[in-house]
Coordinates of all heavy atoms in Angstrom, one line a residue:
M1 N 37.1 80.9 -8.5 CA 38.1 81.5 -7.7 C 37.6 81.9 -6.3 O 38.2 81.7 -5.3 CB 38.7 82.7 -8.4 CG 39.8 83.3 -7.7 SD 41.2 82.2 -7.6 CE 42.5 83.3 -7.1
R2 N 36.4 82.5 -6.3 CA 35.8 82.9 -5.1 C 35.5 81.7 -4.1 O 35.7 81.8 -2.9 CB 34.5 83.7 -5.4 CG 33.9 84.3 -4.1 CD 32.7 85.1 -4.5 NE 32.2 85.7 -3.2 CZ 31.3 86.6 -3.2 NH1 30.7 87.0 -4.3 NH2 30.9 87.1 -2.1
R3 N 35.1 80.6 -4.7 CA 34.8 79.4 -3.9 C 36.1 79.0 -3.2 O 36.2 78.5 -2.1 CB 34.3 78.3 -4.7 CG 32.8 78.4 -5.0 CD 32.3 77.2 -5.6 NE 30.9 77.4 -5.9 CZ 30.1 76.5 -6.6 NH1 30.7 75.5 -7.2 NH2 28.9 76.7 -6.8
F4 N 37.2 79.0 -4.0 CA 38.5 78.6 -3.4 C 38.9 79.5 -2.3 O 39.3 79.0 -1.2 CB 39.6 78.7 -4.5 CG 41.0 78.4 -4.0 CD1 41.4 77.2 -3.7 CD2 41.8 79.5 -3.8 CE1 42.7 77.0 -3.1 CE2 43.1 79.3 -3.3 CZ 43.5 78.0 -2.9
L5 N 38.7 80.8 -2.4 CA 39.1 81.7 -1.3 C 38.2 81.5 -0.1 O 38.7 81.5 1.0 CB 38.9 83.2 -1.8 CG 40.0 83.6 -2.9 CD1 39.7 85.0 -3.3 CD2 41.4 83.5 -2.3
L6 N 36.9 81.2 -0.3 CA 36.0 81.0 0.8 C 36.4 79.6 1.5 O 36.3 79.5 2.7 CB 34.6 81.0 0.3 CG 34.0 82.4 0.0 CD1 32.6 82.2 -0.6 CD2 34.0 83.3 1.2
A7 N 36.8 78.7 0.7 CA 37.2 77.4 1.3 C 38.5 77.5 2.0 O 38.7 76.8 3.0 CB 37.3 76.3 0.2
A8 N 39.4 78.4 1.6 CA 40.7 78.5 2.3 C 40.6 79.4 3.5 O 41.5 79.3 4.4 CB 41.7 79.1 1.3
L9 N 39.5 80.2 3.7 CA 39.4 81.1 4.8 C 39.5 80.4 6.2 O 40.2 80.8 7.1 CB 38.1 81.9 4.7 CG 37.9 82.9 5.8 CD1 39.0 84.0 5.7 CD2 36.6 83.6 5.6
P10 N 38.8 79.2 6.4 CA 39.0 78.6 7.7 C 40.4 78.2 8.0 O 40.9 78.2 9.1 CB 38.1 77.4 7.6 CG 37.1 77.7 6.6 CD 37.8 78.6 5.6
L11 N 41.2 77.8 7.0 CA 42.5 77.4 7.2 C 43.4 78.6 7.6 O 44.2 78.5 8.5 CB 43.1 76.8 5.9 CG 42.5 75.4 5.5 CD1 43.1 75.0 4.1 CD2 42.8 74.4 6.5
V12 N 43.1 79.7 7.0 CA 43.9 80.9 7.4 C 43.5 81.3 8.8 O 44.4 81.7 9.6 CB 43.6 82.1 6.4 CG1 44.2 83.4 6.9 CG2 44.1 81.7 5.0
L13 N 42.3 81.3 9.2 CA 41.9 81.7 10.5 C 42.4 80.7 11.5 O 42.8 81.1 12.6 CB 40.3 81.8 10.6 CG 39.7 82.9 9.8 CD1 38.2 82.8 9.9 CD2 40.2 84.3 10.2
T14 N 42.4 79.4 11.2 CA 43.0 78.5 12.2 C 44.5 78.7 12.4 O 45.0 78.6 13.5 CB 42.8 77.0 11.6 OG1 41.4 76.8 11.4 CG2 43.3 76.0 12.6
A15 N 45.2 79.1 11.4 CA 46.6 79.3 11.5 C 46.9 80.5 12.4 O 48.0 80.7 12.9 CB 47.2 79.6 10.1
C16 N 45.9 81.4 12.6 CA 46.1 82.6 13.4 C 45.7 82.4 14.8 O 46.0 83.2 15.6 CB 45.3 83.7 12.8 SG 45.8 84.2 11.2
S17 N 45.1 81.3 15.2 CA 44.6 81.1 16.5 C 45.7 80.4 17.4 O 46.6 79.8 16.9 CB 43.3 80.3 16.5 OG 43.6 79.0 16.1
I18 N 45.6 80.6 18.7 CA 46.5 80.0 19.6 C 45.8 78.8 20.3 O 44.6 79.0 20.8 CB 46.9 81.0 20.7 CG1 47.5 82.2 20.1 CG2 47.8 80.4 21.7 CD1 48.8 82.0 19.4
D19 N 46.4 77.7 20.3 CA 45.9 76.5 21.0 C 46.6 76.3 22.3 O 47.7 75.7 22.3 CB 46.0 75.3 20.1 CG 45.3 74.1 20.7 OD1 44.9 74.1 21.9 OD2 45.1 73.1 19.9
Q20 N 46.1 76.8 23.4 CA 46.7 76.8 24.7 C 47.0 75.3 25.2 O 48.0 75.1 25.7 CB 45.9 77.5 25.7 CG 46.5 77.7 27.1 CD 47.6 78.8 27.0 OE1 47.5 79.8 26.3 NE2 48.6 78.6 27.8
S21 N 46.0 74.4 24.9 CA 46.2 73.1 25.4 C 47.4 72.4 24.6 O 48.1 71.5 25.1 CB 44.9 72.3 25.2 OG 44.5 72.2 23.9
K22 N 47.5 72.7 23.3 CA 48.6 72.2 22.5 C 50.0 72.6 23.1 O 50.9 71.8 23.2 CB 48.5 72.6 21.1 CG 49.5 72.0 20.1 CD 49.2 72.5 18.7 CE 50.2 71.9 17.7 NZ 50.0 72.4 16.4
L23 N 50.1 73.9 23.5 CA 51.3 74.4 24.1 C 51.6 73.6 25.4 O 52.7 73.1 25.6 CB 51.2 75.9 24.4 CG 52.4 76.5 25.2 CD1 53.7 76.3 24.4 CD2 52.1 77.9 25.5
G24 N 50.6 73.4 26.2 CA 50.7 72.7 27.5 C 51.2 71.3 27.2 O 52.1 70.8 27.9
H25 N 50.6 70.6 26.3 CA 51.0 69.2 26.0 C 52.4 69.2 25.5 O 53.2 68.3 25.9 CB 50.0 68.6 24.9 CG 50.4 67.2 24.5 ND1 50.1 66.2 25.3 CD2 50.9 66.8 23.4 CE1 50.5 65.1 24.7 NE2 51.0 65.4 23.6
F26 N 52.8 70.1 24.6 CA 54.1 70.2 24.1 C 55.2 70.4 25.2 O 56.2 69.7 25.3 CB 54.3 71.4 23.1 CG 55.7 71.7 22.7 CD1 56.4 70.9 21.8 CD2 56.3 72.8 23.2 CE1 57.7 71.2 21.5 CE2 57.6 73.1 22.9 CZ 58.3 72.2 22.0
V27 N 54.9 71.3 26.1 CA 55.8 71.5 27.2 C 55.9 70.3 28.1 O 57.0 70.0 28.5 CB 55.4 72.8 28.0 CG1 56.2 73.0 29.3 CG2 55.6 74.0 27.1
T28 N 54.8 69.7 28.5 CA 54.9 68.5 29.4 C 55.6 67.3 28.7 O 56.0 66.4 29.4 CB 53.5 68.1 29.9 OG1 52.6 67.9 28.8 CG2 53.0 69.2 30.8
Q29 N 55.6 67.3 27.4 CA 56.4 66.3 26.7 C 57.9 66.6 26.6 O 58.7 65.8 26.4 CB 55.9 66.1 25.2 CG 54.5 65.6 25.2 CD 54.3 64.2 25.8 OE1 55.1 63.3 25.6 NE2 53.3 64.1 26.7
T30 N 58.2 67.9 26.8 CA 59.6 68.4 26.7 C 60.3 68.3 28.0 O 61.5 67.9 28.1 CB 59.6 69.8 26.1 OG1 58.9 69.8 24.8 CG2 61.0 70.3 25.9
V31 N 59.6 68.8 29.1 CA 60.2 68.8 30.4 C 59.2 68.2 31.4 O 58.0 68.3 31.2 CB 60.7 70.2 30.9 CG1 61.8 70.7 30.0 CG2 59.5 71.1 30.9
Q32 N 59.7 67.5 32.4 CA 58.9 66.9 33.4 C 59.4 67.2 34.8 O 60.6 67.4 35.0 CB 58.8 65.4 33.3 CG 58.2 64.9 32.0 CD 59.2 64.8 30.9 OE1 60.4 64.6 31.1 NE2 58.7 65.0 29.7
P33 N 58.5 67.3 35.8 CA 58.9 67.5 37.2 C 59.8 66.3 37.6 O 59.7 65.2 37.1 CB 57.6 67.4 38.0 CG 56.6 67.9 37.0 CD 57.0 67.3 35.7
G34 N 60.9 66.6 38.3 CA 61.8 65.6 38.8 C 63.1 65.6 38.0 O 64.1 65.0 38.4
M35 N 63.1 66.2 36.8 CA 64.3 66.2 36.0 C 65.2 67.3 36.4 O 64.8 68.3 37.0 CB 64.0 66.3 34.5 CG 63.6 67.7 34.0 SD 63.1 67.8 32.2 CE 64.1 66.6 31.4
P36 N 66.5 67.2 36.2 CA 67.5 68.3 36.6 C 67.1 69.6 35.9 O 66.8 69.6 34.7 CB 68.8 67.7 36.2 CG 68.6 66.2 36.0 CD 67.2 66.0 35.7
M37 N 67.2 70.7 36.7 CA 66.8 72.0 36.1 C 67.7 72.3 34.9 O 67.2 72.8 33.9 CB 66.9 73.0 37.2 CG 66.6 74.4 36.8 SD 64.8 74.6 36.2 CE 64.0 74.8 37.8
E38 N 69.0 72.0 35.0 CA 69.9 72.3 33.9 C 69.5 71.6 32.6 O 69.5 72.2 31.5 CB 71.3 71.9 34.3 CG 72.4 72.3 33.3 CD 73.8 72.0 33.8 OE1 74.1 72.1 35.0 OE2 74.6 71.5 32.9
Q39 N 69.1 70.3 32.7 CA 68.6 69.6 31.6 C 67.3 70.2 31.0 O 67.1 70.3 29.8 CB 68.3 68.1 31.9 CG 67.9 67.2 30.8 CD 67.6 65.8 31.2 OE1 67.6 65.5 32.4 NE2 67.2 65.0 30.3
A40 N 66.4 70.6 31.9 CA 65.1 71.2 31.5 C 65.4 72.5 30.7 O 64.8 72.8 29.7 CB 64.3 71.5 32.7
L41 N 66.4 73.3 31.2 CA 66.7 74.6 30.5 C 67.3 74.3 29.2 O 66.9 75.0 28.2 CB 67.7 75.4 31.4 CG 67.1 75.9 32.7 CD1 68.2 76.5 33.6 CD2 66.0 76.9 32.5
V42 N 68.2 73.3 29.0 CA 68.7 73.0 27.7 C 67.7 72.5 26.8 O 67.6 73.0 25.6 CB 69.8 71.9 27.9 CG1 70.2 71.3 26.6 CG2 71.0 72.4 28.6
R43 N 66.7 71.7 27.2 CA 65.6 71.3 26.4 C 64.7 72.4 25.9 O 64.3 72.5 24.8 CB 64.8 70.2 27.1 CG 65.5 68.9 27.1 CD 64.6 67.9 27.8 NE 64.8 66.6 27.2 CZ 64.2 65.5 27.5 NH1 63.2 65.5 28.4 NH2 64.4 64.3 26.9
M44 N 64.4 73.3 26.9 CA 63.5 74.4 26.5 C 64.2 75.3 25.5 O 63.6 75.8 24.5 CB 63.1 75.2 27.8 CG 62.2 74.5 28.7 SD 60.6 74.1 28.0 CE 59.9 75.7 28.2
Q45 N 65.5 75.6 25.7 CA 66.2 76.4 24.8 C 66.4 75.8 23.4 O 66.3 76.5 22.4 CB 67.6 76.8 25.4 CG 67.5 77.7 26.6 CD 68.7 77.9 27.4 OE1 69.7 77.2 27.2 NE2 68.7 78.8 28.4
A46 N 66.5 74.5 23.4 CA 66.6 73.8 22.1 C 65.2 73.9 21.3 O 65.2 73.8 20.1 CB 66.9 72.3 22.3
E47 N 64.2 74.1 22.0 CA 62.8 74.3 21.4 C 62.5 75.8 21.1 O 61.4 76.1 20.8 CB 61.8 73.7 22.3 CG 61.9 72.2 22.5 CD 61.7 71.4 21.1 OE1 61.1 72.0 20.2 OE2 62.2 70.3 21.1
G48 N 63.5 76.6 21.3 CA 63.3 78.1 20.9 C 62.9 79.0 22.0 O 62.6 80.1 21.8
F49 N 62.9 78.5 23.3 CA 62.5 79.3 24.4 C 63.8 80.0 25.0 O 64.9 79.5 24.9 CB 61.9 78.5 25.6 CG 60.5 78.1 25.3 CD1 60.2 76.9 24.6 CD2 59.5 78.8 25.9 CE1 58.9 76.5 24.4 CE2 58.1 78.4 25.7 CZ 57.9 77.3 24.9
Y50 N 63.6 81.2 25.4 CA 64.6 82.0 26.2 C 64.2 81.8 27.6 O 63.2 82.2 28.1 CB 64.7 83.4 25.8 CG 65.5 84.3 26.7 CD1 66.9 84.2 26.7 CD2 64.9 85.0 27.7 CE1 67.7 84.9 27.6 CE2 65.6 85.7 28.6 CZ 67.0 85.7 28.5 OH 67.8 86.4 29.4
C51 N 65.1 81.3 28.4 CA 64.9 81.1 29.9 C 65.8 82.0 30.7 O 67.0 82.0 30.5 CB 65.1 79.7 30.3 SG 64.0 78.5 29.4
N52 N 65.3 82.8 31.5 CA 66.0 83.7 32.4 C 66.5 82.9 33.6 O 65.8 82.9 34.6 CB 65.2 84.9 32.8 CG 66.0 85.9 33.6 OD1 67.2 85.8 33.8 ND2 65.3 87.0 34.0
A53 N 67.6 82.3 33.5 CA 68.1 81.4 34.5 C 69.2 82.0 35.4 O 70.0 81.3 35.9 CB 68.6 80.1 33.9
G54 N 69.1 83.3 35.5 CA 70.1 84.0 36.4 C 70.1 83.6 37.8 O 69.1 83.0 38.3
S55 N 71.1 83.8 38.5 CA 71.2 83.3 39.9 C 70.2 84.1 40.8 O 69.9 83.6 41.9 CB 72.6 83.5 40.5 OG 73.0 84.9 40.4
D56 N 69.7 85.2 40.4 CA 68.8 86.0 41.2 C 67.4 85.7 41.0 O 66.5 86.3 41.5 CB 69.1 87.5 41.1 CG 68.9 88.0 39.6 OD1 69.0 87.1 38.7 OD2 68.6 89.2 39.4
V57 N 67.1 84.7 40.1 CA 65.7 84.4 39.7 C 64.9 83.8 40.9 O 63.8 84.1 41.1 CB 65.6 83.5 38.5 CG1 64.3 83.0 38.2 CG2 66.3 84.2 37.3
G58 N 65.6 83.0 41.7 CA 64.9 82.4 42.8 C 64.2 81.1 42.5 O 64.8 80.2 41.8
V59 N 63.0 80.9 43.0 CA 62.3 79.6 42.9 C 61.8 79.4 41.5 O 61.7 78.3 41.0 CB 61.1 79.6 43.9 CG1 60.3 78.3 43.8 CG2 61.7 79.7 45.3
V60 N 61.4 80.4 40.8 CA 60.8 80.3 39.4 C 61.7 80.8 38.3 O 62.3 81.9 38.5 CB 59.5 81.1 39.3 CG1 58.9 81.1 38.0 CG2 58.5 80.6 40.4
T61 N 61.9 80.0 37.3 CA 62.7 80.4 36.1 C 61.7 80.6 35.0 O 61.1 79.7 34.5 CB 63.7 79.2 35.8 OG1 64.5 79.0 36.9 CG2 64.5 79.7 34.5
P62 N 61.5 81.9 34.6 CA 60.6 82.1 33.5 C 61.2 81.8 32.1 O 62.4 82.2 31.9 CB 60.3 83.6 33.7 CG 61.5 84.2 34.4 CD 62.0 83.1 35.2
C63 N 60.4 81.2 31.2 CA 60.9 81.0 29.9 C 59.8 81.5 28.9 O 58.6 81.4 29.2 CB 61.0 79.5 29.6 SG 62.2 78.6 30.7
T64 N 60.3 82.1 27.8 CA 59.4 82.7 26.8 C 59.9 82.3 25.4 O 61.0 82.1 25.2 CB 59.4 84.2 26.9 OG1 60.7 84.8 26.7 CG2 58.8 84.7 28.3
R65 N 58.9 82.3 24.5 CA 59.2 82.0 23.1 C 58.2 82.8 22.3 O 57.0 82.9 22.6 CB 59.1 80.5 22.8 CG 59.3 80.2 21.4 CD 59.3 78.7 21.2 NE 57.9 78.1 21.3 CZ 57.7 76.8 21.1 NH1 58.6 76.0 20.7 NH2 56.5 76.3 21.2
T66 N 58.7 83.4 21.2 CA 57.8 84.1 20.3 C 57.1 83.1 19.4 O 57.7 82.2 18.8 CB 58.6 85.1 19.4 OG1 59.3 86.0 20.3 CG2 57.7 85.9 18.5
Y67 N 55.8 83.3 19.3 CA 54.9 82.5 18.4 C 54.5 83.4 17.2 O 53.8 84.4 17.3 CB 53.7 82.1 19.2 CG 52.7 81.3 18.4 CD1 52.9 79.9 18.1 CD2 51.6 81.9 17.8 CE1 52.0 79.2 17.4 CE2 50.7 81.2 17.1 CZ 50.9 79.8 16.8 OH 50.0 79.1 16.1
K68 N 55.1 83.0 16.1 CA 54.8 83.7 14.8 C 53.5 83.4 14.3 O 53.1 82.2 14.2 CB 55.9 83.4 13.8 CG 57.3 83.6 14.2 CD 57.7 85.0 14.0 CE 59.2 85.2 14.4 NZ 59.6 86.5 14.5
R69 N 52.7 84.5 13.9 CA 51.4 84.3 13.3 C 51.3 85.0 12.0 O 51.7 86.2 11.9 CB 50.3 84.9 14.3 CG 50.2 84.2 15.6 CD 49.0 84.6 16.4 NE 48.9 86.1 16.5 CZ 47.8 86.7 17.0 NH1 46.8 86.0 17.4 NH2 47.8 88.0 17.1
P70 N 50.8 84.3 11.0 CA 50.7 85.0 9.7 C 49.5 86.0 9.8 O 48.5 85.8 10.4 CB 50.3 83.9 8.7 CG 49.8 82.7 9.6 CD 50.4 82.9 10.9
F71 N 49.7 87.1 9.2 CA 48.7 88.2 9.0 C 48.4 88.9 10.3 O 47.5 89.7 10.4 CB 47.4 87.6 8.4 CG 47.6 86.8 7.2 CD1 47.3 85.5 7.2 CD2 48.1 87.4 6.1 CE1 47.5 84.7 6.1 CE2 48.3 86.6 4.9 CZ 48.0 85.3 4.9
R72 N 49.0 88.5 11.4 CA 48.8 89.2 12.7 C 50.2 89.4 13.4 O 51.2 88.8 13.1 CB 47.9 88.3 13.6 CG 46.5 88.2 13.1 CD 45.7 87.5 14.2 NE 44.3 87.4 13.7 CZ 43.4 86.8 14.4 NH1 43.7 86.3 15.6 NH2 42.2 86.7 14.0
R73 N 50.1 90.2 14.5 CA 51.4 90.4 15.2 C 51.7 89.2 16.1 O 50.8 88.4 16.4 CB 51.2 91.6 16.1 CG 51.2 92.9 15.3 CD 50.8 94.2 15.9 NE 51.4 94.4 17.3 CZ 50.9 95.4 18.1 NH1 49.9 96.1 17.7 NH2 51.5 95.6 19.2
D74 N 53.0 89.0 16.4 CA 53.4 87.8 17.1 C 52.9 87.7 18.5 O 52.6 88.7 19.1 CB 55.0 87.8 17.1 CG 55.6 87.7 15.7 OD1 54.9 87.3 14.8 OD2 56.8 88.0 15.6
C75 N 52.8 86.5 19.0 CA 52.4 86.3 20.4 C 53.6 85.8 21.2 O 54.6 85.4 20.7 CB 51.3 85.2 20.5 SG 49.8 85.7 19.7
L76 N 53.5 85.8 22.6 CA 54.5 85.4 23.4 C 54.0 84.2 24.3 O 53.1 84.3 25.0 CB 54.9 86.5 24.4 CG 56.2 86.4 25.2 CD1 57.4 86.2 24.2 CD2 56.4 87.5 26.1
E77 N 54.7 83.0 24.1 CA 54.4 81.8 24.9 C 55.2 81.9 26.1 O 56.4 82.3 26.0 CB 54.7 80.6 24.1 CG 53.9 80.4 22.8 CD 54.3 79.2 22.0 OE1 55.5 79.0 21.9 OE2 53.4 78.6 21.4
R78 N 54.6 81.6 27.3 CA 55.3 81.7 28.5 C 55.1 80.5 29.4 O 54.0 79.9 29.5 CB 54.7 82.9 29.3 CG 54.7 84.2 28.5 CD 54.0 85.4 29.2 NE 52.6 85.1 29.4 CZ 52.0 85.4 30.6 NH1 52.6 86.1 31.5 NH2 50.7 85.1 30.7
V79 N 56.3 80.1 29.9 CA 56.3 78.9 30.8 C 57.2 79.2 32.0 O 58.3 79.8 31.8 CB 56.9 77.7 30.0 CG1 57.0 76.5 31.0 CG2 56.0 77.3 28.8
D80 N 56.7 78.9 33.2 CA 57.5 79.0 34.4 C 58.0 77.6 34.8 O 57.2 76.7 35.0 CB 56.7 79.7 35.5 CG 56.6 81.1 35.4 OD1 57.3 81.7 34.5 OD2 55.7 81.7 36.0
L81 N 59.3 77.4 35.0 CA 59.8 76.2 35.6 C 60.1 76.5 37.1 O 60.8 77.4 37.4 CB 61.2 75.9 34.9 CG 61.1 75.6 33.4 CD1 62.5 75.3 32.9 CD2 60.1 74.5 33.1
V82 N 59.4 75.8 37.9 CA 59.4 76.0 39.4 C 60.4 75.0 40.0 O 60.2 73.8 39.8 CB 58.0 75.9 40.0 CG1 58.1 76.1 41.5 CG2 57.0 76.8 39.3
R83 N 61.3 75.5 40.7 CA 62.3 74.6 41.4 C 61.6 73.8 42.5 O 60.7 74.2 43.1 CB 63.4 75.4 42.0 CG 64.3 76.1 40.9 CD 65.4 76.9 41.6 NE 66.1 77.7 40.6 CZ 67.0 77.3 39.7 NH1 67.3 76.0 39.7 NH2 67.5 78.1 38.8
S84 N 62.1 72.6 42.7 CA 61.6 71.7 43.7 C 61.9 72.3 45.1 O 63.0 72.9 45.3 CB 62.3 70.3 43.6 OG 62.0 69.5 44.7
A85 N 61.0 72.1 46.0 CA 61.2 72.6 47.4 C 62.2 71.8 48.1 O 62.9 72.3 49.1 CB 59.9 72.6 48.1
T86 N 62.5 70.6 47.7 CA 63.4 69.7 48.4 C 64.8 69.7 47.8 O 65.8 69.4 48.4 CB 62.8 68.3 48.6 OG1 62.6 67.8 47.3 CG2 61.6 68.3 49.4
A87 N 64.8 69.9 46.4 CA 66.1 69.8 45.7 C 66.2 71.0 44.7 O 65.5 71.0 43.7 CB 66.2 68.5 45.0
A88 N 67.0 72.0 45.1 CA 67.0 73.3 44.3 C 67.4 73.1 42.9 O 67.1 73.9 42.0 CB 67.9 74.3 45.0
K89 N 68.1 72.1 42.5 CA 68.6 71.9 41.2 C 67.7 71.0 40.4 O 68.1 70.4 39.3 CB 70.0 71.3 41.1 CG 71.0 72.3 41.7 CD 72.4 71.8 41.6 CE 73.4 72.8 42.1 NZ 74.8 72.4 42.0
T90 N 66.4 70.8 40.8 CA 65.5 69.9 40.2 C 64.2 70.7 39.9 O 63.8 71.5 40.7 CB 65.2 68.7 41.2 OG1 66.4 68.1 41.5 CG2 64.2 67.7 40.5
V91 N 63.5 70.3 38.8 CA 62.2 70.9 38.5 C 61.2 70.3 39.4 O 61.0 69.1 39.5 CB 61.9 70.6 37.0 CG1 60.5 71.1 36.7 CG2 62.9 71.2 36.1
G92 N 60.4 71.1 40.1 CA 59.4 70.7 41.0 C 58.0 70.7 40.3 O 57.2 69.9 40.5
A93 N 57.8 71.8 39.5 CA 56.5 71.9 38.8 C 56.7 72.8 37.5 O 57.7 73.5 37.4 CB 55.5 72.6 39.7
I94 N 55.8 72.7 36.6 CA 55.8 73.4 35.4 C 54.5 74.2 35.3 O 53.4 73.6 35.3 CB 56.0 72.5 34.1 CG1 57.3 71.7 34.3 CG2 56.0 73.3 32.9 CD1 57.3 70.4 33.6
D95 N 54.6 75.5 35.1 CA 53.4 76.3 34.9 C 53.3 76.9 33.5 O 54.2 77.7 33.2 CB 53.3 77.5 35.9 CG 53.1 77.0 37.4 OD1 52.5 76.0 37.6 OD2 53.6 77.7 38.3
V96 N 52.4 76.4 32.7 CA 52.2 77.0 31.4 C 51.2 78.1 31.5 O 50.1 77.9 31.8 CB 51.7 75.9 30.4 CG1 51.5 76.4 29.0 CG2 52.6 74.7 30.4
L97 N 51.7 79.3 31.3 CA 50.9 80.5 31.4 C 50.2 80.8 30.1 O 50.5 80.3 29.1 CB 51.8 81.7 31.8 CG 52.7 81.4 33.1 CD1 53.7 82.6 33.2 CD2 51.9 81.3 34.3
E98 N 49.2 81.7 30.3 CA 48.4 82.1 29.1 C 49.3 82.8 28.1 O 50.1 83.6 28.4 CB 47.3 83.0 29.5 CG 46.3 83.4 28.4 CD 45.2 84.3 28.9 OE1 45.0 84.4 30.1 OE2 44.5 84.8 28.0
V99 N 49.1 82.4 26.8 CA 49.8 83.1 25.7 C 49.4 84.5 25.6 O 48.2 84.8 25.6 CB 49.6 82.3 24.4 CG1 50.3 83.0 23.2 CG2 50.1 80.9 24.5
K100 N 50.3 85.4 25.5 CA 50.0 86.9 25.4 C 50.1 87.3 24.0 O 51.2 87.1 23.3 CB 51.0 87.7 26.2 CG 50.9 87.5 27.7 CD 49.8 88.4 28.2 CE 49.8 88.4 29.7 NZ 48.8 89.2 30.3
C101 N 49.0 87.8 23.5 CA 49.0 88.3 22.1 C 48.6 89.8 22.1 O 47.7 90.2 22.8 CB 48.0 87.5 21.2 SG 48.4 85.8 21.1
P102 N 49.2 90.6 21.3 CA 48.8 92.0 21.2 C 47.4 92.2 20.6 O 47.0 91.4 19.8 CB 49.8 92.7 20.3 CG 50.6 91.6 19.7 CD 50.3 90.3 20.4
G103 N 46.6 93.1 21.1 CA 45.3 93.3 20.7 C 45.1 93.8 19.4 O 45.2 93.6 18.3

């Protein structure tokens, strides 16, 4: 039984870690620069993100999603959708911010 628990420990620890590059890859597969902002917001929301797309947001639309972790407190995944400088209703860039986890 002890061997089983020791063998399972790396799996448990892996499940608790955050893979920042995986999040970045996921987001760039979901939304891309050049797509309509409205379509990008719908896609992000379909993936569980909350996007603050109010009219007073300006150039950057912040999106967040809670990342559930077993045995630890939840983290917050953060992505900024930056409007195009030439077309306000188009995504110009995507900034995947560092995941915030409580200490």
